């Protein structure tokens, strides 16, 4: 799949549910209305759609959400997709299956994820301070996430910690978090807040440019340039003192669209070709139409890829305080 700007689309992110057991302040409003079940694709439907994408050149799939691990029986989807890793041999096929999670279910699920073929996971953790964790997630307790991280490590999974940098909230914690990650053999990736969805608050209060965090970190740590890349928007450095990596995702201050290799599927079968644009394709209709075979489904996917835009244009609108894109990250899949 090649888009109109010559970029190869090889990475599919799938939001398997819009629901979550937490309510992070930058991600969701406190009082969210979730999708009715009938609109949400079954795990079998998601598996069939992912299979079509794999057949068309997708090499990496990330399950996300909402919180992917709270969806009932989601492990069956991991198992089915995991069984395709390497199945097409040298002809391509799925090479990596991964997940982004808040970690709360990892104590029970880490071994099963590893057995299903998952090797690397992202766990979101914005702070190591229990009180701040409770404030950021609106009601979460930090222990299940920390226990989950250690369970995942014990299961053999490689872990990258994702942390959204929030002005006046966790901005002065990163020396400590970097040391903690080094101690436990974890990579760290910092993310700027993006204006996605109404969150019942003021985003300009939350926004913190990562260039500020990076220069502060450089006072105590040696960040060595590296050409390591996961094909994504993060810019990575090796932390000389710990040997681990630190990444910075800066959608607000740096446009990373030129090398974009991904599209995003929601749990209702809507395909977004760009996180920061509204254009989308409905794949649920062809998927549920009994008259539509896999060939027609592939055609619908190709038609969508032909509309992949050149890039996003995030702006935190200071006057209107409105989000740049109306849907929440939990819908599109972060
Ligand atoms: N629930 C899982 C988790 O928290 O990792 C997966 C879904 S969550 C939407 C994926 C990632 O998006 C998380 O790392 C979260 O911090 C990030 N995220 C959510 N809303 C965001 C926003 N407005 N700006 C930047 N990152 C955001
Ligand atoms: Fe849930 Fe993840 Fe959004 Fe937090 S960032 S509310 S854990 S989906």
């Amino acid at each position: 799949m090649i888009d109109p700007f010559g970029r190869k689309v090889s990475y599919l992110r799938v939001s398997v549910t819009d629901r979550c057991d937490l309510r992070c302040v930058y991600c969701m409003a406190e009082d969210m209305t979730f999708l009715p079940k009938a609109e949400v694709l079954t795990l079998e439907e998601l598996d069939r759609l992912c299979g079509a994408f794999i057949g068309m050149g997708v090499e990496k799939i990330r399950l996300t959400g909402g919180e992917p691990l709270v969806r009932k029986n989601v492990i069956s989807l991991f198992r089915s997709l995991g069984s395709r890793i390497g199945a097409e041999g040298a002809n391509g096929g799925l090479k990596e299956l991964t997940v982004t999670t808040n970690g709360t279910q990892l104590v029970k699920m880490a071994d099963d994820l590893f057995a299903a073929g998952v090797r690397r996971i992202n766990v979101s953790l914005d702070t190591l301070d229990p009180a701040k964790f409770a404030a950021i997630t609106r009601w979460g307790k930090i222990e299940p996430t920390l226990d989950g991280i250690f369970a995942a490590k014990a299961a053999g999974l490689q872990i990258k910690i994702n942390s959204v940098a929030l002005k006046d909230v966790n901005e002065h914690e990163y020396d400590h978090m970097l040391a903690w990650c080094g101690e436990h053999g974890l990579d760290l990736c910092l993310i700027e807040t993006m204006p996605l969805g109404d969150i019942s608050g003021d985003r300009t209060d939350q926004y913190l440019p990562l260039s500020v965090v990076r220069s502060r970190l450089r006072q105590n740590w040696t960040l060595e340039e590296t050409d390591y890349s996961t094909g994504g928007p993060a810019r990575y450095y090796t932390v000389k003192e710990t040997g681990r990596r630190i990444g910075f995702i800066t959608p607000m201050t740096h446009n990373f669209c030129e090398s974009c290799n991904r599209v995003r599927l929601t749990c209702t079968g809507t395909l977004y070709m760009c996180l920061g644009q509204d254009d989308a394709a409905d794949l649920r209709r062809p998927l549920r139409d009994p008259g539509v075979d896999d060939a027609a489904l592939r055609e619908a996917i190709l038609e969508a890829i032909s509309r992949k835009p050149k890039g996003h244009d995030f702006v935190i609108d200071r006057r209107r305080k409105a989000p740049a894109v109306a849907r929440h990250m939990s819908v599109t899949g972060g």
Side-chain angles (χ1 to χ4, degrees), residues 61-118:
I61 293 183
R62 178 180 300 278
L63 301 190
T64 175
E67 175 45 43
L69 302 186
V70 299
R71 176 145 185 191
K72 203 171 155 210
N73 202 25
V74 73
I75 197 68
S76 65
L77 180 61
F78 278 98
R79 287 192 186 117
S80 172
L81 293 175
S83 70
R84 296 167 188 261
I85 297 174
E88 263 115 299
N91 299 327
L94 190 63
K95 295 201 174 97
E96 185 174 17
L97 174 64
T98 180
V99 61
T100 298
T101 171
N102 63 27
T104 60
Q105 311 302 308
L106 281 173
V107 167
K108 13 180 236 261
M109 294 184 70
D111 285 328
D112 287 341
L113 289 172
F114 189 89
V118 177

Side-chain angles (χ1 to χ4, degrees), residues 18-28 65-67 101-102 124 137 329-330:
D18 62 329
R19 288 163 198 257
C20 187
D21 51 344
L22 303 178
R23 290 286 181 282
C24 303
V25 289
Y26 47 77
C27 178
M28 292 193 182
E67 175 45 43
T101 171
N102 63 27
S124 301
T137 60
M329 183 77 113
S330 54

Side-chain angles (χ1 to χ4, degrees), residues 29-79:
E30 185 160 11
D31 188 15
M32 294 284 288
T33 312
F34 293 111
L35 291 161
K37 263 224 172 87
E39 286 188 24
V40 176
L41 299 185
T42 64
L43 293 173
E44 292 73 21
E45 287 172 324
L46 283 169
D47 189 43
R48 182 175 160 218
L49 255 185
C50 289
F53 276 96
I54 295 168
M56 295 170 72
V58 159
E59 297 175 345
K60 175 172 171 181
I61 293 183
R62 178 180 300 278
L63 301 190
T64 175
E67 175 45 43
L69 302 186
V70 299
R71 176 145 185 191
K72 203 171 155 210
N73 202 25
V74 73
I75 197 68
S76 65
L77 180 61
F78 278 98
R79 287 192 186 117

Side-chain angles (χ1 to χ4, degrees), residues 24-330:
C24 303
V25 289
Y26 47 77
C27 178
M28 292 193 182
E30 185 160 11
D31 188 15
M32 294 284 288
T33 312
F34 293 111
L35 291 161
K37 263 224 172 87
E39 286 188 24
V40 176
L41 299 185
T42 64
L43 293 173
E44 292 73 21
E45 287 172 324
L46 283 169
D47 189 43
R48 182 175 160 218
L49 255 185
C50 289
F53 276 96
I54 295 168
M56 295 170 72
V58 159
E59 297 175 345
K60 175 172 171 181
I61 293 183
R62 178 180 300 278
L63 301 190
T64 175
E67 175 45 43
L69 302 186
V70 299
R71 176 145 185 191
K72 203 171 155 210
N73 202 25
V74 73
I75 197 68
S76 65
L77 180 61
F78 278 98
R79 287 192 186 117
S80 172
L81 293 175
S83 70
R84 296 167 188 261
I85 297 174
E88 263 115 299
N91 299 327
L94 190 63
K95 295 201 174 97
E96 185 174 17
L97 174 64
T98 180
V99 61
T100 298
T101 171
N102 63 27
T104 60
Q105 311 302 308
L106 281 173
V107 167
K108 13 180 236 261
M109 294 184 70
D111 285 328
D112 287 341
L113 289 172
F114 189 89
V118 177
R119 292 294 175 267
R120 299 193 304 166
I121 64 171
N122 290 357
V123 183
S124 301
L125 178 67
D126 299 326
T127 174
L128 287 166
D129 177 325
K132 278 189 199 166
F133 186 93
I136 293 171
T137 60
R138 288 206 181 90
W139 58 56
K141 290 199 166 43
I142 199 168
E143 290 78 14
T145 293
L146 293 182
D147 292 349
I149 290 169
F150 296 128
K153 201 179 150 194
L157 294 164
Q158 286 179 54
I159 302 160
K160 185 167 78 185
I161 301 294
N162 276 346
S163 176
V164 176
L166 300 164
K167 197 172 165 199
D168 299 331
V169 179
N170 58 3
E171 62 172 307
H172 294 292
E173 250 198 90
Y174 287 122
D175 276 318
H176 177 42
M177 278 189 85
L178 200 56
W180 182 82
C181 285
E183 196 181 311
H184 296 290
L186 317 171
D187 289 340
L188 177 63
C189 191
L190 309 189
I191 308 172
E192 278 177 359
T193 46
M194 291 175 247
L196 300 174
D198 191 4
I199 51 161
S200 58
D202 182 351
R203 287 197 190 269
T204 49
D205 286 350
Q206 298 181 342
Y207 177 64
L208 172 71
L210 286 184
S211 48
V212 173
V213 180
R214 189 164 40 213
S215 13
R216 280 189 201 143
L217 282 173
R218 281 198 155 123
Q219 292 170 10
N220 295 317
W221 304 91
T222 319
L223 306 188
E224 295 176 331
E225 302 270 343
T226 151
D227 51 14
Y228 174 81
S229 161
T230 55
R235 169 98 192 272
Y236 284 96
Y237 298 81
T238 303
V239 184
K240 190 173 172 205
E241 290 79 0
T242 66
R244 304 304 312 184
R245 288 188 194 103
I246 182 163
F248 297 86
I249 300 185
T250 55
M252 306 296 290
T253 49
H254 167 242
N255 200 314
F256 47 72
C257 306
E258 310 80 44
S259 58
C260 183
N261 61 351
R262 61 201 58 199
V263 287
R264 295 174 152 87
L265 183 69
T266 72
C267 60
T268 56
T270 301
L271 188 73
Y272 285 98
M273 287 71 84
C274 173
L275 179 64
Q277 303 277 358
D278 286 324
D279 190 31
D282 174 21
L283 298 179
R284 186 178 57 189
R285 194 142 35 99
L287 188 71
R288 288 192 171 167
D289 182 342
V292 169
D293 59 8
D294 278 1
L297 192 56
R298 281 198 294 273
E299 235 164 73
I301 293 171
L302 279 181
E303 190 281 324
I305 300 298
S306 76
R307 283 192 274 135
K308 187 167 161 59
K310 195 165 179 197
H312 69 66
D313 187 20
F314 285 134
V315 189
I316 293 184
D317 189 321
R318 286 183 185 277
R319 275 168 300 115
R320 292 189 298 121
K321 317 274 188 222
V325 168
R327 62 186 188 277
H328 290 95
M329 183 77 113
S330 54

